[in-house]
Amino acid sequence: MVKPNVDVIIPIYKPGKDLYVLLDALLGQTVAVNRIILANTEEKYFDELTYGTFFQEKYAKHVEVFHLSKREFDHGGTRHRAVEKSEADIFVMMTQDAMPADNRLLENLIAPLSQELTALSYARQLPAKGCNEAEAYTRRFNYPEESRTKTLSDLPALGIKTYFCSDVCAAYKRNIYDVSGGFCRHTIFNEDMIYAAGVIQKGYAVAYAADAAVIHSHNYTNRQQFHRNFDLGVSQADHPEIFKGVPSEKEGKKMVRQTGAYLWRNKKSQLFHFYLQCAFKYAGYFLGKHYKSLPWFMIKNFTSNKEYWRR
């Protein structure tokens, strides 16, 4: 059996020294990486990190960097631009703050793509050290221990979770990407779910590979959660062809109930903060879903991606 070529694509912004750790972890995988393509926003920040180092000498063979301005960045468009620089059979999307849990991440991540109709697979996300209890439980809720493959037939049972996917770490089959049109070129957020929904609706499958794991979590503030969920709501309002018939509210309520019950049993001191954060999340999401009724001054204060609106 011919082994597929694999490229890894990582959009980066203001990278720190963790980038070196990530590159080394990717180059040490059991599946050889052909190229790592870094889509860097604002060249000056990349230069600040690499100036006076051996970055070029150490990584030139496997790492390609291209730069763009903050005004040019788009969650879907920038990723598509990076994909066009790849000639690999499979490309893996990652974020700069995700770290492989072991050296078999890529091997396990691309394994489901051996099935002809599986268009992409996404990895499990494990909480990082120092992650708060609510966020850690949310990771377990969204990324369980069992793998599964999702198709359109799962929509009645799974609802919005059928389309769930995350570009924190996901592998895409290039031939299906090309024939399906690829990432939405202009989107504020959610380019991964929009793509996953599109291929599922075309008859393909999306796999969740639980044995492929990355360390990735955030302790967002209430304000950050509000902005993030406002953009999430905007992305859903902009794509009614996907989200209108399968709203996220049902899955969101289920997560709140289960997380609240877990904290009640194990960490009561975090309950108030958790429910307060849920209120900020829902407020942001609700306003984002109805952004077309809002005045511009509210939109620009609620969004975390002002460049999206300028375009």
Side-chain angles (χ1 to χ4, degrees):
M1 181 178 177
V2 178
K3 292 184 179 180
N5 289 326
V6 179
D7 283 348
V8 179
I9 296 171
I10 312 173
I12 61 174
Y13 178 57
K14 295 184 177 179
K17 292 182 179 179
D18 285 350
L19 179 62
Y20 298 129
V21 181
L22 174 56
L23 294 177
D24 291 340
L26 290 172
L27 293 174
Q29 292 286 303
T30 56
V31 168
V33 176
N34 181 41
R35 282 194 304 161
I36 300 173
I37 300 170
L38 302 178
N40 175 67
T41 300
E42 299 296 343
E43 186 172 358
K44 62 182 179 180
Y45 298 122
F46 187 82
D47 290 344
E48 287 175 4
L49 174 68
T50 59
Y51 180 77
T53 70
F54 293 98
F55 182 90
Q56 186 65 23
E57 291 82 353
K58 182 176 181 180
Y59 298 110
K61 183 179 179 181
H62 293 288
V63 179
E64 174 185 346
V65 185
F66 74 93
H67 303 284
L68 60 148
S69 68
K70 192 173 182 181
R71 183 177 289 271
E72 291 176 290
F73 178 82
D74 183 276
H75 280 280
T78 298
R79 284 175 168 84
H80 179 73
R81 182 176 164 187
V83 172
E84 290 184 318
K85 295 180 180 295
S86 170
E87 297 178 354
D89 305 309
I90 294 170
F91 63 88
V92 174
M93 283 291 169
M94 290 191 70
T95 55
Q96 69 188 68
D97 58 350
M99 193 64 62
D102 56 42
N103 67 350
R104 297 187 63 193
L105 167 68
L106 297 182
E107 177 186 344
N108 293 331
L109 182 64
I110 69 173
L113 301 186
S114 62
Q115 298 300 310
E116 183 180 359
L117 293 180
T118 301
L120 70 142
S121 60
Y122 64 99
R124 187 180 184 191
Q125 295 182 29
L126 301 175
K129 186 178 180 180
C131 176
N132 67 60
E133 289 288 336
E135 175 70 3
Y137 185 84
T138 299
R139 284 287 173 270
R140 294 195 290 274
F141 179 87
N142 286 325
Y143 305 95
E145 295 180 357
E146 303 82 23
S147 299
R148 91 172 282 167
T149 298
K150 300 175 291 186
T151 66
L152 196 58
S153 64
D154 291 306
L155 199 58
L158 295 181
I160 193 68
K161 213 63 178 282
T162 308
Y163 299 148
F164 183 73
C165 174
S166 176
D167 269 348
V168 164
C169 186
Y172 293 77
K173 199 177 289 181
R174 180 61 185 269
N175 62 338
I176 297 178
Y177 179 88
D178 288 339
V179 299
S180 64
F183 292 123
C184 179
R185 306 298 191 270
H186 183 49
T187 179
I188 191 169
F189 194 57
N190 234 10
E191 80 293 331
D192 37 21
M193 276 187 72
I194 293 168
Y195 177 82
V199 293
I200 284 176
Q201 290 174 1
K202 290 179 172 69
Y204 296 105
V206 169
Y208 166 57
D211 53 353
V214 292
I215 309 299
H216 177 262
S217 58
H218 293 285
N219 290 327
Y220 286 128
T221 65
N222 293 335
R223 184 184 181 89
Q224 288 171 323
Q225 291 285 16
F226 176 89
H227 291 310
R228 180 178 175 83
N229 281 272
F230 179 82
D231 290 349
L232 173 64
V234 169
S235 75
Q236 293 195 9
D238 283 346
H239 292 275
E241 76 282 2
I242 294 170
F243 297 104
K244 189 175 182 179
V246 281
S248 300
E249 287 84 347
K250 182 178 178 181
E251 190 68 16
K253 290 176 182 177
K254 180 180 177 183
M255 185 181 71
V256 171
R257 286 196 304 269
Q258 292 190 10
T259 307
Y262 171 81
L263 292 176
W264 177 259
R265 294 191 304 269
N266 299 279
K267 205 76 173 179
K268 288 187 177 68
S269 61
Q270 292 191 14
L271 268 173
F272 175 76
H273 174 73
F274 168 68
Y275 285 124
L276 180 63
Q277 191 161 89
C278 288
F280 274 84
K281 283 182 176 181
Y282 184 72
Y285 172 76
F286 179 84
L287 290 167
K289 284 285 290 276
H290 299 88
Y291 82 92
K292 293 177 183 178
S293 301
L294 301 178
W296 167 238
F297 81 90
M298 292 181 72
I299 292 172
K300 71 178 182 180
N301 283 302
F302 292 166
T303 185
S304 62
N305 190 352
K306 291 182 174 58
E307 302 299 333
Y308 170 82
W309 303 95
R310 292 193 179 104
R311 292 191 298 275

